[in-house]
Amino acid sequence: MAGYTDTKDDHLKRLRRIEGQVRGLQRMVDEDKYCIDILTQVSAAGRALQAFALELLEEHMAHCVAEAIATGGAEADDKIKEASDAIARLVRS
Amino acid sequence: MAGYTDTKDDHLKRLRRIEGQVRGLQRMVDEDKYCIDILTQVSAAGRALQAFALELLEEHMAHCVAEAIATGGAEADDKIKEASDAIARLVRS
Amino acid sequence: MAGYTDTKDDHLKRLRRIEGQVRGLQRMVDEDKYCIDILTQVSAAGRALQAFALELLEEHMAHCVAEAIATGGAEADDKIKEASDAIARLVRS
Amino acid sequence: MAGYTDTKDDHLKRLRRIEGQVRGLQRMVDEDKYCIDILTQVSAAGRALQAFALELLEEHMAHCVAEAIATGGAEADDKIKEASDAIARLVRS
C-alpha cells in the first residue's frame, strides 16, 4: 500500500487540474497569445506541480519512512537516504 | 505576431510531451506506484516545463523586447520591466 | 546534541567558503565587474548554500526525526511536519 | 561603466547584509543550534541572494542589453543570448 492511499482522489484531482493547465498552455501557443501571459501560466503550472510533490513527500515521510524507522535496521537508513535524494532533486529542479 | 511563431510547432510538441508526463503521473498515482518513483517523474515534468519557459523567454527577448528597444521610448522600458517581472516569477517558482 | 555534531567542522568550513564567495561578490561590485560575471558567481554561491541545506536536512532526518519516530507519539508527527515545512521553504526559495 | 553604477552602494549594502547572514549561520552551527532553525536562516539568505541577482539582472537588461540592441548587429544578439544563459543558470540554481 502506498503512503498516499487515503488522499489518492485529491492527488488525481490535482493532477487533472495540472493537465488542464498544460492543455491551456498549448491553446495559448496555438492562438499566438502574448509570451509574457504564457510565462505567467507556466509559473502557475510549475507551482501546482511543486505543491503536489511537497504533499506527496510529506505523506511519504509520515508513512513509508516512519514505518521503516519504527522497524529499524538498514531499511530505515535506506529510506532516509532515498527521501533525501528525492528532496535534493526537487530543490534543484 | 508573437515572438515564437517560427518555433510554434516545437513548442506544441514539447507541451504535448509534458501533458503526457502529467497523464503518466495520474496513472502512477492510480496504480499506487511508489511515492519516490512518482516524485522522480514530477521533477522531470517540472524541468521540462522550466526548459519550455526558458526557451520562450529567450525568444521573447530576441523579438518583442529587442523590437521595443529598437523603437525606443517608454514602450522599451515597459517591456524590460515586464520581462524582468516574468523572470522573477520563474526564478521564484 | 544537534544532529550534525560529527560534521560540524565540515559545515563550518563550507559556510566560511560561502562567506568568502559573498565577499568576492562585494569586491566584484566594488570594481565594477561585468554584471553577467557577477550573476555567475551569485548562482555558484546559491548552489553552495543549497548543498549545505540539503546535507543538514539529511542529517536532521537521520538523527532528530529518526529518534522522534523511534520514540513514537505526537513528537514523531510534529518532527515530520516540521521537516516537511522546512523542505517546502527550501523548494520554494 | 557597469549597468549598476548608480545603485552600487545599495548592492554593496545588500551583499554585506548577506555576508552577515552567512556569518550568523556559522555562529548557529558553532553553538549547536537546532537544524530546522538553521535551515530557516539558510532559506532567508538564499532568498536575499536571489533578490540581489534579480535586481542586477534587471539593471543589466535596462542598460547593457538595451544599449547593445540600440546599436544593433551581432553584438545585440550576443548580449541577448548571454542574458538568457544567465537567466537559465538562475532559474536552475
Side-chain angles (χ1 to χ4, degrees):
Chain A
M1 198 185 96
Y4 54 82
T5 305
D6 289 349
T7 48
K8 200 164 148 166
D9 284 350
D10 289 341
H11 289 323
L12 286 173
K13 219 175 288 174
R14 205 194 266 264
L15 285 171
R16 273 193 291 265
R17 214 175 309 131
I18 297 173
E19 189 193 330
Q21 287 177 299
V22 177
R23 258 208 303 266
L25 285 169
Q26 293 170 43
R27 216 164 23 241
M28 291 180 91
V29 168
D30 198 48
E31 297 170 356
D32 297 308
K33 287 281 183 280
Y34 186 48
C35 316
I36 295 293
D37 295 332
I38 301 180
L39 287 172
T40 302
Q41 286 315 103
V42 173
S43 293
R47 266 194 312 274
L49 211 50
Q50 204 175 68
F52 166 68
L54 290 171
E55 204 159 303
L56 199 67
L57 184 69
E58 181 168 354
E59 290 171 9
H60 176 65
M61 300 215 301
H63 295 98
C64 313
V65 178
E67 271 166 44
I69 289 170
T71 310
E75 170 89 9
D77 295 342
D78 288 353
K79 286 287 179 212
I80 287 169
K81 181 80 188 87
E82 189 188 55
S84 297
D85 289 347
I87 293 164
R89 277 194 300 274
L90 274 182
V91 169
R92 288 188 183 121
S93 77
Chain B
M1 197 183 96
Y4 54 82
T5 304
D6 289 348
T7 50
K8 201 165 150 169
D9 284 349
D10 288 340
H11 288 325
L12 286 173
K13 220 176 287 174
R14 205 193 266 264
L15 285 170
R16 273 192 291 266
R17 214 175 309 131
I18 298 173
E19 188 193 332
Q21 287 177 298
V22 177
R23 259 207 302 270
L25 285 168
Q26 293 170 43
R27 216 163 25 240
M28 291 180 92
V29 167
D30 198 47
E31 298 171 355
D32 297 309
K33 287 283 184 279
Y34 186 48
C35 317
I36 296 293
D37 295 332
I38 300 179
L39 287 173
T40 302
Q41 288 313 105
V42 173
S43 293
R47 266 195 311 274
L49 211 50
Q50 206 174 68
F52 165 69
L54 290 170
E55 205 159 301
L56 199 68
L57 185 69
E58 184 170 351
E59 290 171 10
H60 176 66
M61 300 215 301
H63 295 97
C64 313
V65 179
E67 269 165 47
I69 290 171
T71 310
E75 170 89 8
D77 295 342
D78 288 354
K79 286 288 178 209
I80 287 169
K81 181 83 191 82
E82 190 189 55
S84 297
D85 289 348
I87 293 164
R89 277 194 300 275
L90 274 182
V91 169
R92 287 189 183 119
S93 77
Chain C
M1 197 184 98
Y4 53 82
T5 305
D6 289 349
T7 49
K8 200 165 150 169
D9 284 350
D10 288 341
H11 288 324
L12 287 174
K13 222 176 284 176
R14 205 193 264 265
L15 286 170
R16 273 192 290 264
R17 214 175 308 131
I18 298 172
E19 188 193 330
Q21 287 177 299
V22 177
R23 257 206 303 265
L25 285 168
Q26 292 170 42
R27 215 161 26 236
M28 291 179 91
V29 168
D30 198 47
E31 297 171 356
D32 298 307
K33 288 280 183 280
Y34 187 48
C35 316
I36 295 293
D37 295 332
I38 301 180
L39 286 172
T40 303
Q41 288 314 103
V42 173
S43 293
R47 268 195 312 275
L49 211 50
Q50 207 174 65
F52 165 68
L54 289 171
E55 204 158 303
L56 199 67
L57 185 68
E58 183 168 353
E59 290 171 9
H60 177 66
M61 301 215 300
H63 294 97
C64 313
V65 178
E67 269 166 44
I69 290 171
T71 311
E75 170 88 8
D77 295 342
D78 288 354
K79 287 287 179 209
I80 288 168
K81 182 82 189 86
E82 189 188 58
S84 297
D85 290 347
I87 293 164
R89 276 194 299 274
L90 273 182
V91 169
R92 288 188 183 122
S93 77
Chain D
M1 197 184 97
Y4 53 82
T5 305
D6 288 350
T7 49
K8 201 166 152 169
D9 283 350
D10 288 341
H11 288 324
L12 286 174
K13 220 178 284 177
R14 205 194 265 263
L15 286 170
R16 273 193 290 265
R17 214 175 308 130
I18 298 173
E19 188 193 331
Q21 286 177 298
V22 177
R23 258 208 302 267
L25 285 168
Q26 293 170 42
R27 215 161 27 237
M28 290 180 93
V29 167
D30 197 48
E31 298 171 355
D32 297 308
K33 287 283 184 278
Y34 187 48
C35 315
I36 296 292
D37 295 332
I38 299 179
L39 287 172
T40 303
Q41 287 313 104
V42 173
S43 295
R47 267 195 312 275
L49 211 49
Q50 206 174 67
F52 166 68
L54 290 170
E55 203 157 304
L56 199 66
L57 185 69
E58 183 168 353
E59 290 171 9
H60 177 66
M61 301 214 302
H63 295 96
C64 312
V65 179
E67 270 165 45
I69 290 171
T71 310
E75 170 90 8
D77 295 343
D78 288 353
K79 286 287 178 211
I80 287 169
K81 182 81 189 84
E82 187 188 57
S84 297
D85 290 347
I87 293 164
R89 277 193 300 274
L90 272 183
V91 169
R92 289 189 181 120
S93 74

